[in-house]
């Protein structure tokens, strides 16, 4: 058993989610409200450590009217346990779970950083060897009562999740802009598939315009 996973992302027409320098202000204000409404509907929101280090997100509901209890559980996939003490996801705004890999567990749990994070109420889940076992993580989150999970991952986590068959739905904001750049960040990267025939297949189930942006919803076919 696992949560129903919705990948939510904004990208340019050429598939970039950020420039090489990390600039990622892609979608318009109406789309930001749409995303935060989705956050409010979900039990948890998950990102990778790269997103935490690059953007220091709050991962709370704050672009629309909401109460503190509307904030989803914050989940960070952080195999090597690099989450900074000062990261905003470690505050008291919502429950936080950091998923780490077993190889790094024992050195980390004797560190001052671990002691500080646990005192702040951060919970830890350990799985996998050098990388978090995402299937095990999804099972754990389901057992914790998380039925709907919003994935706001970076390109590596996104591909790992979809390759493992763990994403059920993709909701995309496509902004009318082209940024280019061989090193700009794309929606998916990772190892990729060697052949087009192996690609994960999708079914378009909804589309509409939102101000200048195009909103697309896909079902992931399995």
């Amino acid at each position: 058993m696992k949560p129903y996973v919705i990948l939510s992302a904004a990208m340019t027409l050429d598939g970039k989610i950020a420039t090489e320098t990390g600039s990622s202000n892609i979608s318009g204000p109406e789309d930001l409200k749409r995303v935060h409404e989705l956050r409010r509907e979900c039990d948890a929101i998950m990102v990778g450590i790269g997103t935490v280090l690059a953007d220091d997100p709050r991962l709370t509901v704050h672009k629309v009217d909401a109460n503190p209890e509307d904030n989803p559980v914050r989940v960070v996939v952080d195999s090597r346990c690099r989450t900074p003490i000062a990261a905003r996801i470690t505050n008291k705004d919502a429950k936080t779970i950091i998923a780490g890999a077993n190889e790094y567990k024992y050195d980390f749990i004797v560190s001052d950083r671990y002691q500080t994070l646990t005192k702040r109420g951060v919970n830890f889940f350990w799985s996998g060897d050098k990388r978090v076992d995402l299937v095990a993580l999804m099972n754990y989150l389901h057992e914790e009562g998380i039925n709907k999970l919003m994935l706001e991952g970076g390109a590596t986590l996104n591909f790992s999740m979809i390759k493992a068959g763990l994403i059920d739905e993709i909701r995309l904001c496509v902004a009318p802009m082209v940024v280019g750049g061989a090193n700009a960040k794309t929606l998916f990267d990772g190892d990729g598939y060697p052949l087009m025939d192996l690609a994960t297949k999708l079914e378009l189930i909804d589309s509409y315009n939102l101000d200048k942006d195009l909103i697309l919803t896909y079902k992931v076919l399995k």
Side-chain angles (χ1 to χ4, degrees), residues 22-71:
S23 176
S24 60
N25 52 325
I26 296 172
S27 57
E30 291 304 311
D31 183 62
L32 290 176
K33 292 179 182 177
R34 179 190 65 85
V35 170
H36 280 253
E37 288 169 356
L38 178 58
R39 284 186 180 184
R40 186 170 55 189
E41 296 170 11
C42 291
D43 302 309
I45 179 170
M46 187 170 82
V47 299
I49 181 59
T51 298
V52 172
L53 295 176
D55 301 333
D56 192 22
R58 283 185 278 177
L59 302 184
T60 57
V61 182
H62 54 270
K63 298 291 186 183
V64 296
D65 291 337
N67 298 313
E69 57 268 23
D70 292 323
N71 289 329

Side-chain angles (χ1 to χ4, degrees), residues 1 16 23 25 29-30 41 43-44 50 61 80 83 85 90 101 108 119 130 142 147 159 161 165 195 216 222:
M1 299 293 290
K16 309 298 186 181
S23 176
N25 52 325
E30 291 304 311
E41 296 170 11
D43 302 309
V61 182
R80 290 185 283 162
T83 300
I85 292 173
T90 70
F108 179 64
K119 286 178 182 178
K130 295 184 178 181
H142 186 269
N147 296 314
F159 185 73
M161 286 286 289
L195 299 171
L216 303 172
K222 299 178 182 180

Side-chain angles (χ1 to χ4, degrees), residues 94-219:
K95 179 180 178 180
T96 298
I97 299 170
I98 295 176
N102 285 315
E103 179 168 317
Y104 308 97
K105 175 180 179 179
Y106 297 103
D107 288 337
F108 179 64
I109 62 176
V110 297
S111 68
D112 291 340
R113 190 155 51 92
Y114 173 77
Q115 300 301 324
T116 300
L117 290 172
T118 53
K119 286 178 182 178
R120 290 185 182 178
V122 175
N123 296 323
F124 289 84
F125 172 76
W126 306 96
S127 66
D129 183 12
K130 295 184 178 181
R131 298 179 64 180
V132 171
D133 182 330
L134 294 172
V135 173
L137 174 59
M138 291 300 105
N139 289 336
Y140 165 76
L141 294 177
H142 186 269
E143 291 172 357
E144 290 292 298
I146 294 170
N147 296 314
K148 183 185 287 187
L149 172 72
M150 182 178 180
L151 173 62
E152 286 194 10
T156 301
L157 178 58
N158 288 346
F159 185 73
S160 295
M161 286 286 289
I162 204 164
K163 186 177 181 182
L166 298 174
I167 297 177
D168 300 285
E169 187 178 317
I170 298 175
R171 299 189 190 183
L172 285 178
C173 168
V174 182
M177 60 177 77
V178 172
V179 69
N183 296 318
K185 298 174 176 64
T186 59
L187 183 58
F188 295 95
D189 59 25
D191 295 332
Y193 294 114
L195 299 171
M196 285 293 179
D197 287 345
L198 299 176
T200 299
K201 307 301 191 296
L202 311 173
E203 177 186 348
L204 180 66
I205 58 176
D206 192 21
S207 64
Y208 60 93
N209 293 102
L210 186 61
D211 197 10
K212 296 180 180 180
D213 298 324
L214 175 63
I215 310 302
L216 303 172
T217 301
Y218 290 92
K219 176 183 177 182

